[in-house]
Amino acid sequence: MSQPAKLALEDGTVFTGLAFGAIGEVSGEACFNTSMTGYQEILTDPSYRGQILTMTYPQIGNYGVNAEDMESGKIHMAGFIVREASRVVSNFRSEGSLDEFLKKNNVVGMTDIDTRALVRRLRNNGSMKAVLSSVDLDDASLVEKAKSSAGLVGRDLVQEVLPAQQSLWEEDLSPWIKMGDKTRALASRKDQDLHVVALDYGMKWNIPRHLRDLGCKVTVLPGTASPEEVLSHNPDGIFLSNGPGDPEPLTGPIETIQGLLGKKPIFGICLGHQLLSLACGAKTFKLKFGHRGANQPVLDIQTDKVEITSQNHGFAVEEGSLPSCLEITHRNLNDNTIAGVKHKELAAFSVQYHPEASAGPHDSEYLFTRFRESMDQQKGAAV
């Protein structure tokens, strides 16, 4: 880790550190995540496409990586920055080091910088376009590249993370999630009496694992599927997944959701939440520095309970544009932005955060059960 590396922001700030992972140069939006653990799940979350992520927790990599904790088939983010990349890996589940994992996935990393100073700048001034390089170390050159790089607004990043074809999900929820919780272990269902079509815009794998655990057969379709393609599978419910980037350019998926509303119960999370809101007539806006971490407090307005949630998004639904058909169900308690909505007349609801929480707290698992109950209710009414 003796080779130098530099991060240049579009405002002219340059940070110098040491390279780890792959050697190279990447551009992307500089952002940060406040989670203390779960770096492998964060790295493999497709929602980070086009971003250079900094972890605020100082030491990352101490428990290594393993095949079971993957949330997609590879790392999708552009670059990865930590204060200290642990040189020691110590965990009985570990199958390799973080440095090896980044090299295998050709992801450029940097360590040994003052991440507090970087995060403070991003928090105060907002997320910025950036370039991370271990090959070009000229400050002026890097800053110019950062200024001229593509941002996230207006880009369709979903096209870069879509699955190539439809598939039937067959992987179970990890037993680690249920360990020590007898009630949670008994809640698992294996009958698969309901069928969910999941529209994949960059879906984390723990989502279909949860749906399968609730007794759902899960057919995964690319997020570009048409309403006719979705309904040809005769699903009992439709799930709208998370995904990267700006939701407003995704006119195809928005039109698809408009064609599905009222046909089957719908549940969306993260990007799926934004797309459902857009399909109903709302607008979205870019947050100053986003919500990224496993410690985001959310109020469930219906129950008056606070849940600690895992979040990863840089855009949100604009409250002033919310149509009369949508009701706010959840709020982010850090900035009071909309964290959940439901349709007042149709079986459709969504949240801005990640109830599958991989990694993160399990406070919001009830939302999968709520989706199951919505499907049960509509299926029973049709009999």
Side-chain angles (χ1 to χ4, degrees):
M1 294 188 186
S2 58
Q3 183 165 338
K6 289 190 176 185
L7 173 75
L9 304 179
E10 63 176 306
D11 70 351
T13 307
V14 178
F15 293 86
T16 301
L18 298 177
F20 87 116
I23 301 300
E25 181 175 296
V26 292
S27 63
E29 181 184 77
C31 58
F32 61 90
N33 186 298
T34 58
S35 298
M36 297 174 67
T37 60
Y39 53 82
Q40 183 181 346
E41 293 91 333
I42 291 166
L43 281 163
T44 54
D45 180 352
S47 296
Y48 281 108
R49 187 75 174 184
Q51 294 179 309
I52 299 171
L53 180 69
T54 299
M55 300 296 291
T56 62
Y57 190 69
Q59 187 184 72
I60 300 294
N62 56 306
Y63 56 83
V65 297
N66 65 76
E68 190 178 6
D69 290 346
M70 298 288 287
E71 282 299 318
S72 68
K74 63 177 184 178
I75 299 176
H76 291 273
M77 69 177 61
F80 193 53
I81 299 172
V82 300
R83 172 66 185 89
E84 178 187 349
S86 179
R87 290 168 291 179
V88 177
V89 174
S90 179
N91 189 278
F92 70 99
R93 297 177 68 233
S94 176
E95 297 169 2
S97 72
L98 175 58
D99 182 53
E100 293 166 348
F101 187 54
L102 293 179
K103 287 176 178 173
K104 180 181 177 181
N105 284 269
N106 196 33
V107 173
V108 178
M110 183 169 73
T111 183
D112 283 66
I113 75 162
D114 186 349
T115 51
R116 293 175 299 176
L118 171 57
V119 170
R120 190 179 299 116
R121 180 165 289 275
L122 297 177
R123 185 191 64 199
N124 293 340
N125 301 327
S127 299
M128 302 183 207
K129 295 188 292 183
V131 168
L132 173 61
S133 181
S134 47
V135 290
D136 180 358
L137 301 178
D138 180 77
D139 289 6
S141 170
L142 292 173
V143 170
E144 191 57 38
K145 289 176 183 177
K147 289 179 179 179
S148 61
S149 64
L152 295 188
V153 176
R155 290 175 63 191
D156 180 356
L157 290 171
V158 168
Q159 290 288 344
E160 300 178 19
V161 298
L162 284 172
Q165 57 191 14
Q166 74 174 58
S167 62
L168 179 66
W169 187 263
E170 297 182 334
E171 187 176 319
D172 290 328
L173 196 62
S174 170
W176 293 104
I177 291 178
K178 308 173 189 178
M179 189 164 289
D181 186 346
K182 292 182 180 179
T183 303
R184 182 69 184 79
L186 292 171
S188 298
R189 300 178 56 156
K190 302 297 181 185
D191 47 353
Q192 292 194 357
D193 60 329
L194 293 176
H195 182 201
V196 172
V197 165
L199 287 171
D200 187 345
Y201 310 113
M203 183 167 61
K204 290 177 68 181
W205 286 352
N206 218 40
I207 293 167
R209 293 179 190 130
H210 272 277
L211 292 171
R212 181 178 167 90
D213 194 63
L214 283 177
C216 299
K217 171 188 173 183
V218 182
T219 299
V220 180
L221 297 184
T224 50
S226 67
E228 293 74 22
E229 288 176 280
V230 174
L231 295 174
S232 70
H233 292 270
N234 192 28
D236 297 297
I238 299 162
F239 178 78
L240 312 176
S241 86
N242 63 293
D246 186 350
E248 290 200 354
L250 307 180
T251 54
I254 292 168
E255 291 171 0
T256 291
I257 295 167
Q258 289 171 336
L260 295 171
L261 278 166
K263 306 287 178 61
K264 302 288 180 179
I266 295 176
F267 175 33
I269 70 165
C270 201
L271 180 65
H273 158 75
Q274 297 162 7
L275 292 175
L276 175 63
S277 300
L278 288 166
C280 292
K283 295 180 180 179
T284 57
F285 69 100
K286 193 175 190 302
L287 293 163
K288 183 177 180 180
F289 50 79
H291 302 154
R292 298 179 182 89
N295 53 359
Q296 300 273 336
V298 165
L299 174 66
D300 183 337
I301 297 172
Q302 296 172 301
T303 64
D304 206 32
K305 291 182 178 180
V306 174
E307 51 203 80
I308 304 301
T309 68
S310 179
Q311 301 197 16
N312 170 24
H313 58 100
F315 294 81
V317 176
E318 184 182 280
E319 186 165 348
S321 71
L322 209 65
S324 59
C325 64
L326 292 182
E327 176 185 344
I328 299 172
T329 58
H330 297 76
R331 283 194 181 276
N332 186 301
L333 293 179
N334 283 335
D335 60 8
N336 208 40
T337 52
I338 295 174
V341 297
K342 72 173 181 179
H343 201 286
K344 293 179 180 179
E345 300 173 359
L346 306 175
F349 72 101
S350 60
V351 292
Q352 183 62 83
Y353 50 97
H354 286 263
E356 87 287 349
S358 184
H362 298 162
D363 298 20
S364 308
E365 276 189 336
Y366 70 90
L367 291 163
F368 289 106
T369 302
R370 186 176 292 180
F371 183 40
R372 160 100 207 185
E373 291 170 350
S374 176
M375 291 186 286
D376 282 333
Q377 183 177 359
Q378 183 146 324
K379 190 173 184 178
V383 174

